[in-house]
């Protein structure tokens, strides 16, 4: 059915992505591809994998942005430009336009936990759902001719043959910086909901009216470089040195 | 948006076919005339050709029948359902005309209404997408409907003159509809040109509170499905030229030809080969103009996802 669930889903499973912490290593991108090429549905094909124009379907990609604060071009003044690494996968929107546009019923949102999925047996590969998603979360698998998207690793999170620790999306499990968190955003007492409340988690493109479940934690404010300048002269002052360092200081002075 | 030729050909040809069918359904052409029989067949061929072309861009065309199931929520599904339903009255009308030289008003009018409803559904596939701001306006549907009707009246008037040997009321409709269609289309273009982007790199990343946002690095160095499907950009200078080309061939030239034929026939000239040829040329010119118009419809539209790709 490509109508959205009539009632809010009891659970809202999703991700919280911490833009303050992500270092842009792309480990989540690679592990997502790795898990999902052998998991749910058709393999994630690549086109011309060894050619110059390699391309393929990925369910999670990391973009990098430069953010320039007002007046930030002047180094040390109002805060400098900074780089923010920005992982992006399906946000499992509550008002998912990708679900209602689908002519076949292949694209659907689960009533029990809100996960948005594609039933690849039904998909005709018309691509309309990818057009309707403002976030670019859906990519056509050109070999299988069906639409691919993040499944929130539905074949991991409920998978009892995996150890409890591994019942998380592949991207979350692999992130070496702990920038990705998985949980129920419909439950205000869940760890992810508390993080969102504490850090002022945000929706991407709220103006598109999609009501995404995934939230992003904005980078923390940064001290301008100039604020650390006062630390420099301290390196020259040896008057407080004691013990071995006082001896070393004296010896080096004498040489 | 990437201007896929299968979709452009589909919307232009089937739009024309539905427009012609809508006028045939009104019974304005003499059903016993040979030219009217050809008109019915042409409408069916145009529609069927368009539909076939539309399946070319599917990843799994063998499952296309599944697209009839979600008419409650999806405009694409509604279009699919109607495009099949409409064949019932259209085929019946064509049969009546071709075999018995008759016209039946109830069947004809049902065909006209369903034809226009199908074109409306096609237009809503685009107009309902909030992610493509240029399309997300009621003017989109108005353009699709008016262009379809204008093309239909134009082609119909050629068949009408051929069949009756005198001026056809359809020539007059064609003139009025061409003017209305381009008036609305120019309003649509003005709307496009004055758009303030709904989404920006700032809102797309949520980093607007920190500062101005600019793409530093794409996720991958090569193109992907998203950038080739939605990242198509046409140079402004080319777009401006193509707009003029579309207006010239899709509006001004056919309009002038119809006007001349109409004036000549009303002044008492004989409705001979020259008039029919001129109207056929007008129709052909309109089709070429529409192909350019539809190409631009896609090429000039920017998708919200480009906020993540620096486009
Ligand atoms: S992010 Fe895109 S694909 Fe995912 S639910 Fe929202 S609209 Fe659909
Ligand atoms: S590509 Fe598949 S899932 Fe997407 S709208 Fe078309 S049929 Fe539905």
């Amino acid at each position: 059915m490509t109508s959205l669930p009539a009632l809010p889903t009891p659970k809202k499973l999703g991700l919280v992505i911490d833009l303050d912490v992500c270092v842009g290593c792309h480990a989540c991108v690679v592990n997502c591809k790795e898990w999902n090429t052998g998991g749910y549905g058709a393999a994630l094909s690549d086109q011309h994998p060894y050619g110059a124009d390699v391309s393929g379907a990925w369910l999670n990609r990391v973009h990098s942005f430069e953010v320039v604060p007002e007046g930030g071009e002047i180094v040390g003044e109002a805060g400098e430009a900074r780089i923010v690494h920005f992982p992006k996968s399906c946000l499992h929107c509550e008002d998912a336009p990708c679900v209602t546009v689908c002519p076949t019923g292949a694209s659907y949102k689960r009533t029990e936990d809100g996960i948005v999925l594609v039933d690849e047996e039904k998909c005709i590969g018309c691509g309309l759902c990818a057009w309707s998603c403002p976030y670019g979360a859906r990519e056509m698998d050109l070999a299988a001719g069906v639409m691919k998207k993040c499944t929130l690793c539905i074949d991991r999170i409920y998978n009892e043959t995996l150890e409890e620790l591994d019942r998380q999306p592949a991207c979350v499990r692999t992130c070496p910086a702990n920038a990705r968190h998985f949980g129920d955003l419909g439950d205000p007492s869940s760890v992810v909901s508390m993080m969102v409340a504490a850090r002022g988690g945000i929706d991407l493109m709220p103006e598109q009216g999609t009501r995404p479940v995934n939230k992003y934690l904005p980078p923390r404010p940064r001290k301008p470089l100039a604020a650390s300048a006062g630390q420099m002269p301290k390196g020259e002052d040896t008057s407080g040195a004691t013990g071995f360092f006082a001896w070393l200081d004296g010896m080096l002075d004498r040489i | 948006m990437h201007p896929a030729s299968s979709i452009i050909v589909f919307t232009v040809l089937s739009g024309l076919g539905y427009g012609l069918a809508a006028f045939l359904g009104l019974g304005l052409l003499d059903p016993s005339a040979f030219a009217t029989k050809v008109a019915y067949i042409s409408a069916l061929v145009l529609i069927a050709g368009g539909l076939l072309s539309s399946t070319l861009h599917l990843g799994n065309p063998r499952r296309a029948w599944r697209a009839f199931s979600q008419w409650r929520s999806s405009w694409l599904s509604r279009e699919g359902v109607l495009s099949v339903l409409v064949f019932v009255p259209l085929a019946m009308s064509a049969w009546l005309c071709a075999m018995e030289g008759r016209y039946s008003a109830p069947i004809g009018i049902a065909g006209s209404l369903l034809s226009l409803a199908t074109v409306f559904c096609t237009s809503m596939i685009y107009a309902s997408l909030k992610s493509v701001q240029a399309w997300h306006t009621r003017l989109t549907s108005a353009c699709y409907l008016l262009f379809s009707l204008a093309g239909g009246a134009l082609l119909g008037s050629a068949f009408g003159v051929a069949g009756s040997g005198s001026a056809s009321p359809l020539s007059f409709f064609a003139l009025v509809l061409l003017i209305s269609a381009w008036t609305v289309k120019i309003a649509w273009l003005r709307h496009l040109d004055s758009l303030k982007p709904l989404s920006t790199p700032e809102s797309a990343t949520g980093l607007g509170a920190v500062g101005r946002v600019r793409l530093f690095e794409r996720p991958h160095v090569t193109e992907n499905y998203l950038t080739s499907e939605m990242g198509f950009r046409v140079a402004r200078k080319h777009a401006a030229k193509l707009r003029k080309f579309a207006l010239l061939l899709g509006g001004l030239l056919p309009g002038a030809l119809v006007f001349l034929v109409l004036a000549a026939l009303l002044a008492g000239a004989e409705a001979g080969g020259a008039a029919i040829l001129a109207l056929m040329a007008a129709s052909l010119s309109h089709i070429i103009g529409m192909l350019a118009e539809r190409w631009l419809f896609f090429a000039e539209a920017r998708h919200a996802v480009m906020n993540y790709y620096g486009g």
Side-chain angles (χ1 to χ4, degrees), chain A residues 65-73 78-82 84 219, chain B residues 200-203 205-214:
Chain A
F65 292 96
E66 179 195 66
V67 193
V68 186
E70 196 64 48
E73 282 91 338
E80 306 84 34
R82 61 192 288 179
V84 177
Chain B
T200 58
E202 285 76 22
S203 75
T205 56
L207 296 171
V210 183
R212 223 167 3 88
V213 178
R214 193 179 65 86

Side-chain angles (χ1 to χ4, degrees), chain A residues 31-44 148 155:
Chain A
N31 203 26
C32 167
K33 178 97 170 179
E34 171 67 20
W35 177 264
N36 285 296
T37 201
Y40 179 98
L44 284 175
K148 303 298 287 190
D155 47 356

Side-chain angles (χ1 to χ4, degrees), chain A residues 2 54 61-64 66-68 73 100-101 103 105 120-121 123-125 131 133 136 144-145 202 205 207-208, chain B residues 59-60 63 67 69-70 73-74 130-131 199 203 206 211-212 214 216-217 219-220 222 224-226 229 303 305 308:
Chain A
T2 55
V54 50
R61 294 184 186 256
V62 177
H63 302 238
S64 297
E66 179 195 66
V67 193
V68 186
E73 282 91 338
T100 50
V101 297
E120 295 181 5
E121 296 294 307
C123 176
I124 55 174
W131 282 12
C133 170
I202 41 170
M205 296 195 208
E207 67 280 2
Q208 293 278 346
Chain B
N60 264 298
R63 297 182 191 150
S69 65
Q70 301 301 313
S73 51
S74 159
K130 204 168 182 184
S131 50
S199 297
S203 75
R212 223 167 3 88
R214 193 179 65 86
F216 182 71
E217 261 178 346
H220 291 79
T222 49
N224 63 32
Y225 172 71
L226 298 168
E229 186 76 357
H303 194 284
V305 74
Y308 295 109

Side-chain angles (χ1 to χ4, degrees), chain B residues 14 42 60 92 157 187 200 213 301:
Chain B
S14 70
S42 316
N60 264 298
M92 282 166 77
S157 82
T200 58
V213 178

Side-chain angles (χ1 to χ4, degrees), chain B residues 140-206:
Chain B
T140 300
S141 298
C143 288
Y144 269 76
L145 282 168
L146 285 169
F147 277 134
S148 159
L149 283 171
L154 205 52
L155 200 54
S157 82
F159 288 117
V161 172
S164 68
S166 62
S168 162
L170 282 182
S171 306
F172 175 71
F173 289 147
L175 204 54
V176 174
L177 283 163
L178 277 175
I179 295 171
S180 335
W182 276 103
T183 310
V184 176
K185 180 68 194 188
I186 288 168
W188 188 92
L189 289 169
R190 290 244 169 89
H191 166 259
L192 167 65
D193 291 339
S194 65
L195 279 183
K196 204 176 140 290
L198 174 66
S199 297
T200 58
E202 285 76 22
S203 75
T205 56

Side-chain angles (χ1 to χ4, degrees), chain A:
Chain A
M1 254 320 274
T2 55
S3 293
L4 288 162
L7 298 171
T9 55
K11 278 188 178 182
K12 292 178 192 166
L13 296 186
L15 301 177
V16 169
I17 295 174
D18 192 340
L19 297 179
D20 196 61
V21 169
C22 175
V23 293
C25 70
H26 290 241
C28 57
V29 177
V30 175
N31 203 26
C32 167
K33 178 97 170 179
E34 171 67 20
W35 177 264
N36 285 296
T37 201
Y40 179 98
L44 284 175
S45 73
D46 288 315
Q47 279 65 47
H48 316 295
Y50 303 106
D53 278 330
V54 50
S55 72
W58 298 73
L59 312 183
N60 174 41
R61 294 184 186 256
V62 177
H63 302 238
S64 297
F65 292 96
E66 179 195 66
V67 193
V68 186
E70 196 64 48
E73 282 91 338
I74 309 160
V75 173
E77 283 289 303
E80 306 84 34
R82 61 192 288 179
I83 297 293
V84 177
H85 300 293
F86 192 92
K88 184 167 59 61
S89 47
C90 172
L91 309 163
H92 298 280
C93 307
E94 286 188 66
D95 272 336
C98 57
V99 169
T100 50
V101 297
C102 175
T104 63
S107 180
Y108 66 106
K109 184 170 178 74
R110 284 159 52 102
T111 39
E112 57 272 44
D113 52 19
I115 298 181
V116 175
L117 289 178
V118 174
D119 178 347
E120 295 181 5
E121 296 294 307
K122 289 188 184 158
C123 176
I124 55 174
C126 66
L128 188 56
C129 54
W131 282 12
S132 76
C133 170
Y135 308 104
R138 295 181 166 228
E139 298 189 16
M140 185 87 78
D141 187 306
L142 295 179
V146 294
M147 195 52 76
K148 303 298 287 190
K149 70 177 291 299
C150 157
T151 66
L152 215 54
C153 283
I154 194 151
D155 47 356
R156 291 177 67 101
I157 57 177
Y158 294 118
N159 191 339
E160 310 224 317
T161 63
L162 295 181
E163 280 183 48
E164 178 100 43
L165 183 72
D166 286 324
R167 285 179 220 158
Q168 297 194 31
C171 57
V172 173
R173 186 74 184 91
T174 206
C175 177
N178 219 15
R180 305 180 72 113
H181 308 270
F182 164 70
D184 179 8
L185 287 138
D187 170 8
S189 63
S190 69
V191 175
V192 279
S193 295
M194 287 180 338
M195 291 173 91
V196 170
R199 294 273 306 280
I202 41 170
D203 284 353
L204 305 185
M205 296 195 208
E207 67 280 2
Q208 293 278 346
T210 52
R211 297 200 294 141
V213 167
N214 285 13
K215 302 285 182 241
Y216 283 75
L217 306 180
R220 294 181 172 90
R222 209 166 57 167
K223 274 190 297 183
L225 255 184
S228 315
Q231 305 287 331
M232 301 301 281
K234 280 194 191 149
E236 300 297 314
D237 180 11
T238 54
S239 58
T242 53
F244 171 72
F245 291 108
W247 172 80
L248 189 63
D249 182 41
M251 288 299 286
L252 290 174
D253 269 349
R254 245 168 276 154
I255 301 171

